[in-house]
Each structure stands twice: as C-alpha cells, then as structure tokens.
Amino acid sequence: MNKIAVVGAGISGLSMANYLEKHKIDYHIYERRKKRDLAGHGFLIPQEGMDYLSQIIEPELLLKQGNFLKKYIQYSHTGRILAEKNLENVFAISRHSLIDLLTQNISPEKIIYEETIGLEEHDGKLKFSDGADIDADIIVISDGSRSRIRNNLFKDETMKAVRESEVVNIIRNKEIADSIENDFIKFHHEEGGLTFGILKLSDDTVLWYSQFDNEKYMINECSAENLRKYMLEVFENWHPLVSSIIQKSDYKNVHLWRVYELEKLNRFYKNNIVFIGDAAHPLIPFTSQGVTSALKDSFTLTKYLVEENNMEHAFKKYEAERKPEIEVHINNGRTLLEQFLLPINLQTQNILPISYK
C-alpha cells in the first residue's frame, strides 16, 4: 500500500488515521496548530456515527466520555413547550474528549504539530513550510471548512457567508448539570432567528450554544468580555435556566463561529490529493452531521484504498458513494436554516435539528 500523508489532526484527520491504523497502512499526520489548540466544544453524534466510531474506539471508553440523549425538547424563549421528540441513540460528547479518544490509538511519532502545508502555485504540489516536498503517494486533506488547500486547488469555487452565526461555550457547574435531564433542550425566540441550545455532556459539564440570525443580531467585536456582555444583554428576559447559564459561565474559551458554505460542491479529489470531512463538503451546523460525515468519509476512502490497486479508481468510488448523501445533508441544512429564520408560528412543528439521509 502507498504511503499516505494526512493534513489536519481534527476529527476527520484523526478518524482517517485510525482507519488506516486498523488496516496497517503507512501514514503520517501534519497539523498546523499546537496540540492543545485542538480542544474545543462538542458534538451531537447520531446512531449511525456511533456505529462507525465504535469500529475504531472501544465502546466502553466512548460511553464514559459523553451522554446518550433521551429527548429533543423545543421551548419558546420564555419556557413554553413547543414540541417533544424521542431521540434514538443520539450521543453528546465534548470535542476535547473525542480528540483524545481518537489520538490514543496513534503513535506520537506519527503526528507532527505546528507544521503548515501549502500548495505551490508554479507546480501545483503540496509542500512543507520550508519548501520541501511531502514524501507521500497519496495526500488526504482534512484542514476544515475554510480549507486553504481546497481554495487554492479549485480557484473557481465560491464560499459564501450563511445567515447564521453561533456562540459556543462549555460550563462546568454541577448544580446546573443536575437540574438538566439527559435531553437536548433548545429555546427559540418567538420572532425567529435566535435560539439557545443546551446539551449535558457529563455529571458536571454542560455544552451550550446560541444561534443568531446575523442580519438581525450583529456582533461587531468578538473578544470574550464583549461576547459575555452581548449574551447577557440579548438573553436578559429569557427563561431563568438560560440566563443562569449565561451568567455563571466562564468565557475564556468561548467561541464565535461564523458559518460559511460552498455554493456548489467541487470534486473530492484532484491528482493524488483527496479531501475528507469539512474540507471536502462544509455542512451547515444545523445538520449535526459533521462528525458522522467525517467518519463515513474516512471509512469509505480507506475501504477503497484497500480494495483498489489504482488510486484514481479508489478516489472515484469514494466520491461516487459519498457525494449523493452529502448533497442530501446540504439541502436539509438549508431547509433547517430557513425554518430557524421564521417566527415560531410559521415554523414546521416538531422539526428535529438533525439531518438524516
């Protein structure tokens, strides 16, 4: 089997490395950030994603690090129940925990941090920061939704800002965690375009996030202190659980996520370079399919690299299998975005903020 370089040590890159490790395929990972910069907030993972994840992580280890959610409960911003829906094995886990679990099966010498990979304009080759060529037959790109490499390789692609931004944070507070059942709770403003979601990750840890219609709610300065003041102001008259979480949170690791999407999908590969996860197909966060899609990309690409003797044939089969499903999630995400922007009385009732194929 050919030598493989994986660019990016996020969820998709580490998933790819785990599947390659499982098949004893030679690889190396290159990540531009420091190791500890790879922490983050959290994810929802539907059952399908858990099935793929359990192939590379021991299920008992996985279950110790997160929570299965029982129900999705939708409230108005004042606490009136709008809808309830049972969830089928949807798992909540922090990004930090999932990164740690995916890293544990990889030898430290196989990951190099603080190494930026770039595309040389004159010869179209990927190189290290010192100008040396990457010593690999296949290069798997997993450098995220704003992939510089994809942007340089496909010059005609168009990324556009989505009419939604998110503020994401984690609060460690046992009293608040004890007051929350193992449910996915989401509060919606009556006029639409503003939500507050809550996920219990463990006995003392809660992930919260707020989605904004960024044409109505413009955040001009995103320092931690400014975000704290903004959240306190915007959510002042919401349900007491929301205001309590906002007031008691530590904002040193708060994150403002400005969401972008591709106007149309490009090919998933070119020459010996192949894209996976958000680098291949950025998904609007309403879908809750980022982790599952990354896992399926990694599994599928590895499968065809093992089965096919010809690299291009493997890439073609990978793209043919994955692209139709990604198109479904993209369309579902746009539908969920349209619903989010509407007043509550015009939204489809009991709509679940998870995309299924």
Side-chain angles (χ1 to χ4, degrees):
M1 173 58 67
N2 293 324
K3 186 175 181 181
I4 296 175
V6 179
V7 179
I11 301 301
S12 55
L14 292 173
S15 299
M16 186 73 199
N18 273 265
Y19 282 115
L20 293 173
E21 187 77 34
K22 187 176 180 180
H23 288 275
K24 296 180 170 51
I25 299 171
D26 189 21
Y27 68 91
H28 216 100
I29 307 174
Y30 303 96
E31 169 56 52
R32 66 180 175 83
R33 293 171 292 183
K34 296 178 181 179
K35 184 176 182 179
R36 285 295 97 190
D37 288 346
L38 296 173
H41 294 97
F43 308 104
L44 284 176
I45 307 178
Q47 180 61 53
E48 185 181 26
M50 295 297 286
D51 291 341
Y52 281 91
L53 202 50
S54 64
Q55 296 181 43
I56 51 178
I57 296 175
E58 291 294 331
E60 58 268 27
L61 293 177
L62 187 58
L63 298 182
K64 288 179 182 178
Q65 298 299 322
N67 244 351
F68 276 110
L69 304 176
K70 295 177 181 178
K71 290 188 295 184
Y72 168 61
I73 308 177
Q74 186 184 39
Y75 293 93
S76 72
H77 71 282
T78 57
R80 176 170 58 91
I81 292 181
L82 303 172
E84 291 187 35
K85 189 175 181 67
N86 290 330
L87 295 174
E88 296 182 8
N89 298 324
V90 175
F91 193 68
I93 187 170
S94 73
R95 189 174 191 274
H96 175 85
S97 296
L98 187 52
I99 289 282
D100 282 350
L101 287 169
L102 289 169
T103 304
Q104 70 181 3
N105 295 329
I106 299 168
S107 300
E109 62 269 19
K110 288 194 172 184
I111 307 180
I112 295 178
Y113 296 98
E114 299 182 71
E115 177 59 73
T116 300
I117 306 298
L119 186 72
E120 284 289 333
E121 296 285 345
H122 70 279
D123 61 8
K125 291 184 178 179
L126 289 173
K127 297 180 183 291
F128 293 112
S129 54
D130 64 2
D133 290 341
I134 294 179
D135 179 23
D137 303 294
I138 293 171
I139 303 174
V140 180
I141 305 299
S142 58
D143 61 344
S145 60
R146 304 295 301 279
S147 171
R148 295 173 298 104
I149 294 170
R150 186 193 64 231
N151 183 253
N152 287 330
L153 205 59
F154 300 109
K155 293 290 189 182
D156 60 343
E157 78 167 14
T158 303
M159 288 286 284
K160 65 176 183 179
V162 172
R163 192 176 160 182
E164 184 248 349
S165 298
E166 293 195 8
V167 173
V168 190
N169 204 356
I170 281 179
I171 179 172
R172 287 180 173 83
N173 184 301
K174 193 168 190 315
E175 182 181 357
I176 288 176
D178 284 345
S179 72
I180 300 170
E181 298 291 332
N182 289 337
D183 296 324
F184 176 11
I185 302 170
K186 199 168 184 182
F187 294 87
H188 294 246
H189 196 282
E190 299 277 356
E191 296 177 3
L194 185 63
T195 67
F196 193 91
I198 304 168
L199 305 169
K200 185 173 179 177
L201 299 178
S202 70
D203 290 342
D204 66 352
T205 305
V206 172
L207 167 72
W208 63 260
Y209 67 98
S210 179
Q211 297 162 323
F212 296 83
D213 173 351
N214 52 32
E215 292 185 8
K216 284 185 181 179
Y217 303 93
M218 289 174 280
I219 304 173
N220 297 317
E221 203 277 305
C222 60
S223 67
E225 182 57 28
N226 184 70
L227 286 174
R228 179 180 180 278
K229 290 178 180 177
Y230 190 79
M231 295 294 294
L232 287 169
E233 177 185 334
V234 171
F235 293 93
E236 181 181 9
N237 297 317
W238 285 49
H239 186 273
L241 176 60
V242 175
S243 54
S244 176
I245 288 173
I246 291 172
Q247 289 168 10
K248 295 179 180 179
S249 291
D250 181 340
Y251 285 76
K252 66 180 181 180
N253 292 317
V254 69
H255 178 65
L256 173 62
W257 185 6
R258 302 187 192 279
V259 182
Y260 293 81
E261 68 170 353
L262 286 169
E263 283 195 347
K264 63 177 182 178
L265 287 179
N266 283 305
R267 293 170 58 193
F268 286 8
Y269 68 93
K270 186 173 183 179
N271 301 324
N272 70 329
I273 300 171
V274 60
F275 295 85
I276 61 172
D278 287 342
H281 45 70
L283 293 175
I284 294 175
F286 290 103
T287 64
S288 299
Q289 282 289 346
V291 171
T292 300
S293 294
L295 288 162
K296 293 184 74 173
D297 287 354
S298 304
F299 172 86
T300 305
L301 178 57
T302 302
K303 176 182 72 172
Y304 288 126
L305 289 174
V306 170
E307 292 177 357
E308 297 290 329
N309 292 323
N310 182 287
M311 176 186 69
E312 186 172 359
H313 290 172
F315 288 179
K316 280 183 177 179
K317 286 189 173 183
Y318 155 66
E319 182 183 272
E321 182 169 329
R322 295 296 299 132
K323 206 167 187 178
E325 182 178 311
I326 295 301
E327 295 277 14
V328 170
H329 291 318
I330 287 173
N331 290 330
N332 287 348
R334 289 170 178 165
T335 298
L336 290 164
L337 173 62
E338 289 171 2
Q339 289 290 312
F340 158 76
L341 295 171
L342 293 172
I344 283 178
N345 64 335
L346 297 180
Q347 293 181 16
T348 301
Q349 290 188 357
N350 206 20
I351 189 165
L352 183 67
I354 300 174
S355 167
Y356 290 98
K357 59 184 178 181

